[in-house]
Amino acid sequence: MKWLELAVYTTDAGIEPVSAALTGAGITGLSIEESHESAYAFLKEAAVFWDFADMDKIGVDTPCVKGYVADCPENLPTVEAAKKAIERLRSLELGFDLGSLAMTVVSVDEEDWANNWKKYYKPLEIGDRLLVLPSWEPEPETDRTILKLDPGMAFGTGAHHTTRMCLEFLEKTVKTGDTMLDLGCGSGILSIASVLLGAKQAIAVDIDPIAEKIAYENAAMNGITKETFTVLIGNILSDASVQDRIRGKYPVVAANIVADVIIALAPLAKTMVAQNGVFIVSGIIDERVSDVTAALLHSGFSVTEQRSAEGWNAFLCH
């Protein structure tokens, strides 16, 4: 199926009136592209959840509102109505800059947005022992430990540097019979890998309820049952019931999150890492390395190894 994509170029201030104009013309399927500055401001506001190493890749040079209708003769009046609505918008004095309001209409092929990304996610060798295998790929002949994975709607495929560096640290630190705690588990990749590497028990925690379903499905795909693998949902920093359920001493604790959460988490993590155990942290952009290092040292950890890749950093702590 083909679609008509109507793109109207505007300003951040113009996004709302342009969206209203297109909706009023009968186009309800909209996508919005904000400027670099606006996207950065949003991410700065939500800094507890996000960090980016390449801010120039966030947002666009010229804000744009895109609308979509099926490419068929019946929708041509809707397209004309949209053009007229944007022309009317040009004539209004709203007291702020709407930009050029230039409009393009192109025919595009329908895409399977839910599955197209899969063609870029291929088997991935990590470290000396692991092979992360997408669930839809055939199992190859290999001496590596295979970790089957379908990340679904949860973060964590192994392809990003933050996850890969954590897996490399886990490969060298997890010992047979260990218990492991995965804080911010996403797809469950780190905790599942730990069990496959020899851990007898892994507990995975995430703030997003989606993670519970995805992580359990990925564990089952690898032959790991709920007797060995437990997923808890809640905010580890504020949820006392979650803190009570994970209370204990773990030879391996991992947190692949963001700098601000790691900083806040460090004192609690120190109470959970067993004597001679390790705390693996990742998701730290270059600009936050000193902040995270200071927080870890203040909480009583020593940073024994640091790995870096394309603006991202991971620490192995004792």
Side-chain angles (χ1 to χ4, degrees):
M1 182 176 177
K2 287 185 174 290
W3 295 83
L4 290 175
E5 178 188 83
L6 290 73
V8 181
Y9 295 89
T10 182
T11 61
D12 287 321
I15 285 175
E16 188 172 339
V18 168
S19 299
L22 293 178
T23 301
I27 299 176
T28 56
L30 303 178
S31 69
I32 293 170
E33 298 177 356
E34 294 181 306
S35 70
H36 299 293
E37 294 78 15
S38 180
Y40 177 77
F42 168 77
L43 293 172
K44 190 81 173 172
E45 208 171 285
V48 69
F49 301 113
W50 305 99
D51 270 332
F52 285 86
D54 301 310
M55 288 307 301
D56 59 326
K57 296 180 182 178
I58 307 303
V60 295
D61 292 334
T62 305
C64 179
V65 179
K66 293 180 179 179
Y68 297 87
V69 293
D71 187 356
C72 59
E74 292 82 358
N75 281 328
L76 292 180
T78 302
V79 175
E80 289 305 311
K83 290 179 178 179
K84 290 177 181 177
I86 297 302
E87 280 302 317
R88 283 195 296 272
L89 198 55
R90 281 182 205 277
S91 66
L92 299 178
E93 290 292 337
L94 298 180
F96 51 84
D97 182 20
L98 291 173
S100 70
L101 292 181
M103 183 177 187
T104 61
V105 182
V106 296
S107 181
V108 296
D109 291 320
E110 181 174 51
E111 294 195 52
D112 184 356
W113 301 109
N115 292 298
N116 274 3
W117 64 275
K118 291 182 179 180
K119 64 188 176 187
Y120 303 107
Y121 179 30
K122 297 297 181 183
L124 181 65
E125 291 186 352
I126 294 179
D128 298 322
R129 297 164 56 193
L130 286 170
L131 174 67
V132 178
L133 184 70
S135 61
W136 52 89
E137 292 279 348
E139 192 166 319
E141 292 274 345
T142 181
D143 293 331
R144 287 176 172 263
T145 297
I146 293 177
L147 193 170
K148 298 178 184 176
L149 195 72
D150 183 351
M153 295 177 67
F155 174 81
T157 65
H160 195 273
H161 298 299
T162 58
T163 311
R164 177 182 56 77
M165 291 186 289
C166 277
L167 289 169
E168 290 171 350
F169 279 143
L170 287 171
E171 188 181 80
K172 66 183 285 187
T173 56
V174 173
K175 299 179 180 61
T176 301
D178 278 350
T179 55
M180 186 270 184
L181 179 62
D182 181 4
L183 301 174
C185 68
S187 66
I189 183 170
L190 300 184
S191 35
I192 292 168
S194 296
V195 175
L196 294 175
L197 289 168
K200 67 178 181 181
Q201 184 80 36
I203 298 176
V205 183
D206 203 282
I207 199 170
D208 189 344
I210 290 172
E212 181 175 18
K213 176 178 182 292
I214 300 298
Y216 273 134
E217 288 176 351
N218 284 325
M221 199 184 303
N222 288 276
I224 297 170
T225 67
K226 291 184 179 180
E227 284 71 37
T228 305
F229 182 74
T230 303
V231 182
L232 302 175
I233 299 301
N235 187 332
I236 182 63
L237 294 173
S238 60
D239 191 328
S241 64
V242 172
Q243 292 175 5
D244 287 341
R245 291 185 68 182
I246 65 174
R247 204 172 300 283
K249 295 289 188 178
Y250 301 84
V252 181
V253 179
N256 180 19
I257 316 180
V258 293
D260 283 329
V261 177
I262 293 168
I263 289 169
L265 189 60
L268 180 62
K270 184 60 180 175
T271 69
M272 295 178 172
V273 176
Q275 187 174 9
N276 299 321
V278 297
F279 184 34
I280 297 167
V281 296
S282 188
I284 307 156
I285 60 175
D286 287 343
E287 293 81 357
R288 303 303 306 278
V289 165
S290 59
D291 296 335
V292 174
T293 301
L296 290 168
L297 295 176
H298 183 72
S299 296
F301 287 107
S302 59
V303 178
T304 53
E305 187 174 343
Q306 177 181 344
R307 297 193 180 195
S308 303
E310 293 189 16
W312 295 98
N313 299 270
F315 298 157
L316 178 65
C317 309
H318 286 83

